[in-house]
Amino acid sequence: MVEFIGNMAAVLTTTAFLPQVIKTLKSKSTDDMSWSWLLMFITGVFLWLIYGLSINVFPITAANAFTFVCLVILLFIKVNNLFKSR
Amino acid sequence: MVEFIGNMAAVLTTTAFLPQVIKTLKSKSTDDMSWSWLLMFITGVFLWLIYGLSINVFPITAANAFTFVCLVILLFIKVNNLFKSR
């Protein structure tokens, strides 16, 4: 039961994050996403991933691995926009 | 060291969430926050809180307890706006 709760939590908070990623992929606009937010969030999610692996807790590892991939995509778009605007 | 990583992850991802809460508290506008996102995220964070308590992992419990309080505030503002707009 406890693992089920952890997995459900992981699915819900990760799924809740998807609309923002999809919106950004479609619009290619990252103006409403500050660098400080993105870098803080990516670092935090990466540390959650390391932590989940370290204490061997699957829901943490799975949720943050997926979110990390999404954030790397957002970061790629934001960096791309930076070079285009020069 | 592992606990330090977990605590840092908790601080970073929770702190990254604060600007949005502060912006909403100031603007009192919740238009860009869909009901589905808010309810999905609140449920997910609540389950993470239960999960953290169940497996006795402090960083999960602390991060999600704080985020849950922030989300309840956002939900209160959104419900308040709903009644005002009637």
Side-chain angles (χ1 to χ4, degrees):
Chain A
M1 179 60 178
V2 172
E3 278 311 297
F4 175 73
I5 290 173
N7 290 326
M8 277 306 293
V11 168
L12 284 168
T13 48
T14 308
T15 312
F17 181 61
L18 273 179
Q20 182 175 350
V21 178
I22 293 165
K23 192 182 96 180
T24 307
L25 279 172
K26 281 183 186 166
S27 68
K28 292 284 186 289
S29 159
T30 53
D31 297 342
D32 59 348
M33 217 179 282
S34 72
W35 280 103
S36 56
W37 175 81
L38 192 56
L39 294 175
M40 202 187 291
F41 200 46
I42 273 187
T43 313
V45 165
F46 181 71
L47 288 178
W48 275 122
L49 180 55
I50 302 298
Y51 183 64
L53 289 168
S54 310
I55 62 170
N56 195 20
V57 172
F58 177 74
I60 301 179
T61 310
N64 288 283
F66 184 83
T67 308
F68 184 71
V69 168
C70 291
L71 287 167
V72 167
I73 294 169
L74 294 185
L75 182 64
F76 181 77
I77 296 172
K78 194 152 175 84
V79 169
N80 207 19
N81 287 344
L82 190 68
F83 284 111
K84 266 197 275 181
S85 64
R86 287 205 174 160
Chain B
M1 177 59 178
V2 172
E3 277 311 297
F4 174 74
I5 291 173
N7 290 326
M8 276 307 292
V11 167
L12 284 168
T13 49
T14 309
T15 313
F17 181 61
L18 273 181
Q20 181 174 351
V21 178
I22 293 164
K23 191 182 96 178
T24 306
L25 279 173
K26 281 183 186 165
S27 68
K28 293 284 187 286
S29 158
T30 53
D31 299 341
D32 58 350
M33 217 178 283
S34 71
W35 281 103
S36 56
W37 175 81
L38 192 56
L39 294 175
M40 202 187 290
F41 200 46
I42 273 187
T43 312
V45 164
F46 181 70
L47 289 177
W48 274 122
L49 180 55
I50 302 298
Y51 184 64
L53 289 168
S54 310
I55 62 169
N56 195 19
V57 171
F58 177 73
I60 300 178
T61 310
N64 288 283
F66 184 83
T67 307
F68 184 71
V69 168
C70 292
L71 287 168
V72 167
I73 294 168
L74 295 185
L75 183 64
F76 181 77
I77 296 172
K78 194 154 176 82
V79 169
N80 207 20
N81 288 344
L82 191 68
F83 283 112
K84 266 197 273 182
S85 63
R86 286 204 175 160

